[in-house]
């Protein structure tokens, strides 16, 4: 199912792009790589939160204190 599914997905993506260009009279703007990277990061985070919740856990954002931040800053220089 690998190649046929990939071909169908690509055709669907091209059809959506064509429809968008057609309905907006050719005003298409590519959101760029950063947009897709950020969207991917959000997807990963959402999946991790679901997995943590399934185990009865909760994800808590890590905050860097000043010592840790200065440690990383000295490593980068």
């Amino acid at each position: 199912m690998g190649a046929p599914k990939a071909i169908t997905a690509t055709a669907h993506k091209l059809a959506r792009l064509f429809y968008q260009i057609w309905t907006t009279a050719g005003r298409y703007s590519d959101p760029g790589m950063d947009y897709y990277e950020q969207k991917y990061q959000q997807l990963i985070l959402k999946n991790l939160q679901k997995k943590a919740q399934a185990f009865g856990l909760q994800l808590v954002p890590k905050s860097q204190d000043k010592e840790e931040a200065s440690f990383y800053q000295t490593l980068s220089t």
Side-chain angles (χ1 to χ4, degrees), residues 1-66:
M1 280 199 339
K5 283 246 186 211
I7 292 169
T8 303
T10 303
H12 186 81
K13 177 72 173 184
L14 288 172
R16 285 185 289 162
L17 286 172
F18 175 76
Y19 180 77
Q20 181 183 9
I21 291 171
W22 185 42
T23 57
T24 60
R27 293 184 309 262
Y28 173 74
S29 63
D30 186 18
M33 190 65 175
D34 291 334
Y35 170 78
Y36 291 111
E37 186 65 32
Q38 183 181 18
K39 203 168 181 179
Y40 178 71
Q41 298 258 333
Q42 290 172 350
L43 179 68
I44 296 293
L45 183 60
K46 184 178 175 182
N47 287 337
L48 282 174
Q49 287 173 340
K50 281 184 182 180
K51 287 180 182 181
Q53 190 176 24
F55 286 111
L57 302 171
Q58 182 180 4
L59 294 180
V60 178
K62 181 181 174 185
S63 63
Q64 290 184 344
D65 59 356
K66 292 180 182 179

